[in-house]
């Protein structure tokens, strides 16, 4: 059974394995954390994912985004990154979903 699950501390081990293994740039999907250490993932990267989904401690000009892991039973098989809304700059130059209106 396939299902999506937000990045979370309870699934950290499997999330780490996924992130450490996804290529840096695969078909336009970027992963700046490829090859990270487990310690770095636990203490910096994963808390950053969780905070970003809540709009906490975002760099200037960034929008909230949620990292969603695609699970097949007990195994992660994919990753989605969903921005909560688009700025004009994002709507005109980044991402893989097109839309013609933005807030």
């Amino acid at each position: 059974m396939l299902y999506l699950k937000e990045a979370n501390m309870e699934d950290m081990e499997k999330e780490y394995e996924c992130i450490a293994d996804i290529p840096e740039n695969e078909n336009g999907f970027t992963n700046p954390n490829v090859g990270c250490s487990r310690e770095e993932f636990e203490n910096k990267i994963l808390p950053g994912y969780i905070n970003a989904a809540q709009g906490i401690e975002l760099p200037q000009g960034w929008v909230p985004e949620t990292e969603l892991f695609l699970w097949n039973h007990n195994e992660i098989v994919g990753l989605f990154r969903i921005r909560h809304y688009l700025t004009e700059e994002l709507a005109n130059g980044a991402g893989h979903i097109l839309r013609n209106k933005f807030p």
Side-chain angles (χ1 to χ4, degrees), residues 12-31:
M12 182 185 64
E13 293 300 330
K14 290 193 177 191
E15 293 168 345
Y16 165 68
E17 291 172 13
C18 176
I19 292 297
D21 193 43
I22 292 175
E24 185 175 0
N25 187 335
E26 184 170 290
N27 298 321
F29 189 90
T30 60
N31 177 22

Side-chain angles (χ1 to χ4, degrees), residues 15 20 39 41 63 69 72 79 89 94 100:
E15 293 168 345
E39 180 180 7
F41 184 77
V63 300
F69 290 90
N72 185 12
L79 175 64
E89 293 80 19
N100 60 5

Side-chain angles (χ1 to χ4, degrees), residues 42-99:
E42 179 179 8
N43 296 317
K44 181 180 177 191
I45 296 166
L46 183 54
Y49 289 166
I50 294 167
N51 285 344
Q54 298 174 27
I56 298 171
E57 298 178 4
L58 295 175
Q60 179 83 20
W62 286 37
V63 300
E65 67 181 19
T66 300
E67 304 283 331
L68 295 162
F69 290 90
L70 178 63
W71 291 76
N72 185 12
H73 299 283
N74 198 31
E75 179 184 355
I76 295 176
V77 296
L79 175 64
F80 294 79
R81 184 177 298 128
I82 306 292
R83 292 191 175 110
H84 297 197
Y85 58 88
L86 298 178
T87 63
E88 185 171 1
E89 293 80 19
L90 289 172
N92 291 321
H96 301 285
I97 298 173
L98 301 175
R99 63 182 279 198

